Amino acid sequence: MQANDVRVLKSAAIPTLAAGLVVVVVSLLTAGGKGALGAVLGTLLVGVFFSISVVAVSYAARVSPQMMAIAAMVSYLVKVVVIMVVLSAFRDTTAWNTLAFAWSVVICTLVWTGFEVRAFMKTKMLYVDPEARVPGKGDS
C-alpha cells in the first residue's frame, strides 16, 4: 500500500470512528443497549467494507490503471451484494435495534465518503510522468 493510500485510509477512518462513537452514544441514550449494539455493528460494517475497498484499489493500482478501475467497480458491486444479504438475513432480528444500525450505516458512510474525497483532493498527485520523454525532443 502506498503512502498516499495509507493517508487517505487514515483520513477517512478516524473521523468515521469518531462519528460512529457519537452514534453509539446517542443510540445508547435513546434506544438502550440494543441501540448501542446496532450502532456498533453498523459502524464496524462501514469501516470494514470501505477499508477493504481502499486496500483492493490500492493493490490493483500497482498492477495497472485499468485494474484499479475494475477493482473499484468490483469492490463496489461486492459491497452492495453483501449488504443486501446481511440486511435480508437480519431483517427480523431482535438482537439489536435495526433503526440504530441503519442510521449508523448511513451516517458513517456519509462521513467516510466525505473525508475520503477531502483526502483525495488534498493529495498531491502527478498528472504527468516527469521522467517520460517526448518523442523527437532531446533525442540525438
Side-chain angles (χ1 to χ4, degrees):
M1 185 175 261
Q2 297 177 3
N4 285 341
D5 298 325
V6 172
R7 201 170 306 122
V8 168
L9 184 61
K10 286 186 348 187
S11 295
I14 293 170
T16 302
L17 179 61
L21 289 174
V22 170
V23 174
V24 168
V25 170
V26 170
S27 296
L28 178 64
L29 295 174
T30 58
K34 288 186 177 188
L37 178 60
V40 166
L41 292 174
T43 301
L44 286 175
L45 182 74
V46 170
V48 169
F49 273 28
F50 280 87
S51 296
I52 289 171
S53 291
V54 170
V55 171
V57 171
S58 173
Y59 176 75
R62 291 188 304 198
V63 176
S64 75
Q66 293 82 6
M67 286 301 293
M68 183 175 80
I70 291 169
M73 288 186 284
V74 169
S75 68
Y76 177 77
L77 178 64
V78 168
K79 282 191 290 190
V80 169
V81 169
V82 170
I83 193 71
M84 286 173 51
V85 169
V86 168
L87 291 177
S88 293
F90 294 105
R91 175 181 29 231
D92 298 323
T93 188
T94 57
W96 63 79
N97 185 303
T98 54
L99 187 60
F101 174 81
W103 275 110
S104 68
V105 168
V106 169
I107 290 169
C108 289
T109 297
L110 291 173
V111 170
W112 184 289
T113 304
F115 278 92
E116 190 175 39
V117 167
R118 181 180 180 269
F120 275 119
M121 299 277 291
K122 293 181 87 173
T123 301
K124 298 198 181 353
M125 296 170 45
L126 297 174
Y127 293 98
V128 178
D129 185 3
E131 297 179 13
R133 300 182 74 187
V134 177
K137 296 228 178 190
D139 293 336
S140 303

